[in-house]
Amino acid sequence: MRKINIFDTTLRDGEQSAGVNLNLHEKLEIARQLERLGVDIIEAGFPAASKGDFQAVQAIAQTVRNCSVTGLSRSVQSDIDAAWEALKDGAEPRLHVFIATSPIHMQYKLRMTPEQVVETAVESVRYAKKYFPIVQWSAEDACRSDLPFLATIVEKVIEAGANVINIPDTVGYITPKQYGDIFSFLKKNVRNIEKISLSAHCHDDLGMAVANSLAAIEAGATQIEGTINGIGERAGNAAIEEVAVALYIRKDYYQAETRLNLQEIKRTSSLVSKLTGMIVPPNKAIVGKNAFAHESGIHQDGVLKEKTTYEIISPQLVGVQSNSMVLGKHSGRHAFRTRIQELGYSLTEEEVNRLFARFKDLADKKKDITDDDLIALILDEKLDMYKNFYQLCSIQVQYGTNQIPTAVVVLKDGEGNDIQEAATGAGSVEALYNALEKALQIPVTLLDYRIESVGSGRDALAQVYVKVSLDRKEASGRGTAQDVLEASAKAYIHAVNRMFVIEKMKEEQALAAQ
Ligand code: KIV
Ligand code: ZN
């Protein structure tokens, strides 16, 4: 079996998904889970892009010990310097430096001749090698590049010291056969290519990112780049869970394996979905809600008689639990704390105490508390570092078939003052959001509102995601509660608070730059 390295870029290319904006705590939580999943490399961000990105990359490099942490860099010394500062404390510092190689990008974006591009690429790799033991070089828009030129520049950056060569399909244009042919061409025409690792990085604009990645493996790639749930720029990147499970289930064909702990896939997918607010479509391969649901009578009959008639992947393989009841209202603090630890979360004593109170509250209303419920509570509590802005104290909503929906809200501002407002609306949620907008005295536009249940049953928790904008700036928020209106209000306040934090960080950055 050939070993395939998994390079996860959920926190870099994935965070480039429209409307996704993760804070430092959220990025760290995802990085820890990626470590548990067993990815080989985490691309934690683009250190030179902003102070926030720098801090996140640095914190992740200092925290994660079982995988290599990398950061993206343009082919300029100041980017490489920033990346080194952020990554130097990592277990295995690695740089990801790139430059575009296609005629379109060189002419219109870079305004450089091919010779200048080769020179800049070589210089940047040489410079990076002074610091980094491992340097990955990427040819942006490689798939629309002239192949002999691509071979020339790849040979030159290998000479300069690059250890990994990445061939991105930046615009999601290539087909599987053509992508495989590029790898075969490079293997045949580049001197010393056997000394480095070849990597595939695919975007999903034509829905072929996973197929292209697998074709690259067949043609000799030993590293696959992608994101959890396939999130990313435009149509997204190759979904790592799909590549890994395809290699596992079809090892007879690919003869290749990753070191992923497949049982962590479902949990990683849920965490990324919750924190990014990007809902996983029910029919999504491997991690969608319906991925293991057999609906037709003929299929159900077959599966009952013999699972393998219609099931090629068992839900347990990827960590899908049957949502068994784990705790209830008689469970004590010890059992509660133990289960949290088993789920892989480390909380402070204060956080455990606060969560335990919320858990007891919930257990009074909901008979069975599942792992999913617990995780929703933990994320709500642990990742909400915006409590110093607005806090929701209470809501009251009146709705009747022939009445005008009315809502009253009470908030506390950052200085501890109570603010109470009432408003009406065409529906309960609108009345609630109108009241919140009045209380906040800022014109917030609601761009997106989505609701899903955590688990099943009438008493399931509601999880609401919203995206809001204010002065053309966007932020997303989420809220969990047993009541959909309370979850809606929490999500709204969360988004507004996040907006203030993002703005505050930007102001601090601007001041620091002066
Ligand atoms: O898609 C792309 O080309 C990239 C590079 C920066 C590697 O993400
Ligand atoms: Zn990309």
Side-chain angles (χ1 to χ4, degrees):
M1 289 277 170
R2 284 163 59 213
K3 164 84 196 329
I4 305 297
N5 279 341
I6 295 295
F7 176 115
D8 181 280
T9 182
T10 305
L11 296 173
R12 201 275 299 167
D13 228 342
E15 217 222 357
Q16 286 172 222
S17 308
V20 171
N21 209 329
L22 298 164
N23 65 41
L24 182 107
H25 294 266
E26 291 165 335
K27 285 183 181 174
L28 261 173
E29 204 61 45
I30 290 176
R32 284 198 199 98
Q33 180 56 30
L34 290 171
E35 189 180 21
R36 254 180 246 133
L37 176 65
V39 305
D40 299 280
I41 300 129
I42 295 175
E43 185 165 47
F46 189 166
S50 70
K51 195 172 160 202
D53 245 44
F54 179 93
Q55 285 169 340
V57 175
Q58 188 174 50
I60 292 169
Q62 287 169 350
T63 306
V64 165
R65 292 290 105 190
N66 297 319
C67 33
S68 184
V69 176
T70 191
L72 187 66
S73 158
R74 288 168 302 176
S75 299
V76 293
Q77 293 194 355
S78 54
D79 274 27
I80 299 170
D81 292 340
W84 175 245
E85 273 313 302
L87 292 162
K88 64 183 181 200
D89 298 330
E92 188 193 53
R94 166 186 304 244
L95 183 74
H96 180 191
V97 62
F98 76 100
I99 193 162
T101 54
S102 67
I104 305 176
H105 278 234
M106 290 191 291
Q107 184 182 346
Y108 296 108
K109 188 183 80 175
L110 298 177
R111 295 183 199 285
M112 283 165 91
T113 63
E115 293 72 30
Q116 286 171 322
V117 169
V118 173
E119 200 185 319
T120 310
V122 167
E123 262 173 29
S124 65
V125 172
R126 271 208 199 109
Y127 186 74
K129 276 305 272 191
K130 289 192 196 152
Y131 302 111
F132 288 90
I134 303 178
V135 172
Q136 165 168 327
W137 181 81
S138 283
E140 192 189 14
D141 205 15
C143 296
R144 292 190 299 169
S145 302
D146 172 63
L147 263 187
F149 174 67
L150 189 62
T152 305
I153 192 167
V154 166
E155 192 167 298
K156 292 255 161 52
V157 293
I158 294 176
E159 251 170 53
N163 310 86
V164 181
I165 299 292
N166 182 36
I167 307 297
D169 179 22
T170 304
V171 293
Y173 175 77
I174 206 81
T175 68
K177 166 90 174 60
Q178 289 177 316
Y179 198 46
D181 287 347
I182 296 179
F183 284 79
S184 304
F185 181 88
L186 294 177
K187 286 192 84 161
K188 236 183 246 148
N189 294 288
V190 173
R191 233 179 319 141
N192 290 328
I193 194 107
E194 67 291 345
K195 299 202 173 130
I196 55 95
S197 168
L198 271 175
S199 174
H201 176 114
C202 298
H203 282 268
D204 208 29
D205 299 64
L206 295 175
M208 292 192 274
V210 169
N212 287 339
S213 306
L214 293 168
I217 291 176
E218 284 189 80
T222 51
Q223 175 174 299
I224 294 299
E225 305 193 0
T227 58
I228 300 300
N229 300 336
I231 64 170
E233 278 273 352
R234 307 181 309 278
N237 291 56
I240 278 178
E241 65 280 6
E242 293 182 25
V243 174
V245 174
L247 290 180
Y248 179 82
I249 296 291
R250 295 308 312 275
K251 49 181 165 308
D252 60 317
Y253 178 74
Y254 289 108
Q255 298 285 312
E257 63 187 0
T258 69
R259 70 172 188 106
L260 288 203
N261 176 3
L262 300 182
Q263 293 200 347
E264 288 292 330
I265 283 180
K266 181 66 183 175
R267 184 131 75 92
T268 315
S269 160
S270 303
L271 181 71
V272 169
S273 170
K274 282 193 178 96
L275 298 189
T276 58
M278 297 204 53
I279 287 177
V280 176
N283 63 331
K284 159 96 176 56
I286 317 295
V287 290
K289 250 185 193 155
N290 297 348
F292 304 101
H294 301 280
E295 193 62 29
S296 111
I298 295 174
H299 287 207
Q300 285 175 353
D301 181 53
V303 169
L304 284 174
K305 287 176 177 148
E306 168 55 48
K307 272 203 166 70
T308 53
T309 48
Y310 288 102
E311 201 171 273
I312 61 160
I313 313 163
S314 81
Q316 291 75 22
L317 177 75
V318 295
V320 174
Q321 310 291 342
S322 50
N323 232 9
S324 55
M325 196 264 301
V326 289
L327 296 171
K329 84 173 180 192
H330 300 298
S331 306
R333 190 182 296 263
H334 181 69
F336 176 75
R337 192 199 313 262
T338 307
R339 191 63 199 145
I340 288 175
Q341 279 161 358
E342 282 166 2
L343 286 171
Y345 293 93
S346 55
L347 303 186
T348 63
E349 203 48 38
E350 201 190 325
E351 284 169 332
V352 171
N353 289 342
R354 268 202 311 266
L355 256 183
F356 189 65
R358 283 191 68 186
F359 158 74
K360 280 287 179 188
D361 223 29
L362 180 63
D364 270 343
K365 302 177 203 142
K366 186 175 190 293
K367 194 165 157 271
D368 299 343
I369 310 287
T370 64
D371 283 350
D372 283 348
D373 292 328
L374 273 186
I375 291 170
L377 283 186
I378 294 168
L379 293 182
D380 229 34
E381 181 64 38
K382 189 171 163 59
L383 302 173
D384 195 356
M385 29 90 77
Y386 308 109
K387 295 194 172 102
N388 46 346
F389 288 89
Y390 289 101
Q391 273 186 64
L392 184 70
C393 302
S394 67
I395 63 168
Q396 201 182 330
V397 181
Q398 247 182 332
Y399 175 82
T401 320
N402 297 316
Q403 287 171 4
I404 296 172
T406 312
V408 180
V409 298
V410 181
L411 302 181
K412 230 182 229 331
D413 68 13
E415 271 114 49
N417 306 313
D418 280 348
I419 315 168
Q420 179 167 340
E421 278 298 347
T424 59
S428 303
V429 175
E430 198 199 353
L432 185 60
Y433 283 4
N434 287 345
L436 286 170
E437 191 177 38
K438 265 171 101 179
L440 294 166
Q441 293 186 326
I442 42 175
V444 178
T445 307
L446 185 66
L447 300 175
D448 199 4
Y449 172 94
R450 276 169 290 156
I451 182 162
E452 61 172 17
S453 74
V454 178
S456 54
R458 287 185 202 185
D459 59 357
L461 287 175
Q463 194 139 46
V464 171
Y465 296 92
V466 296
K467 199 181 329 154
V468 299
S469 81
L470 176 65
D471 290 340
R472 282 193 268 135
K473 288 164 214 126
E474 291 182 10
S476 59
R478 62 177 188 283
T480 310
Q482 206 160 30
D483 181 84
V484 290
L485 293 172
E486 189 181 330
S488 303
K490 280 182 165 177
Y492 188 96
I493 294 295
H494 186 220
V496 170
N497 282 342
R498 282 179 67 123
M499 178 101 70
F500 285 123
V501 171
I502 293 164
E503 282 316 298
K504 205 170 149 214
M505 270 168 56
K506 281 191 187 149
E507 276 166 25
E508 282 169 9
Q509 275 171 31
L511 273 177
Q514 274 170 16

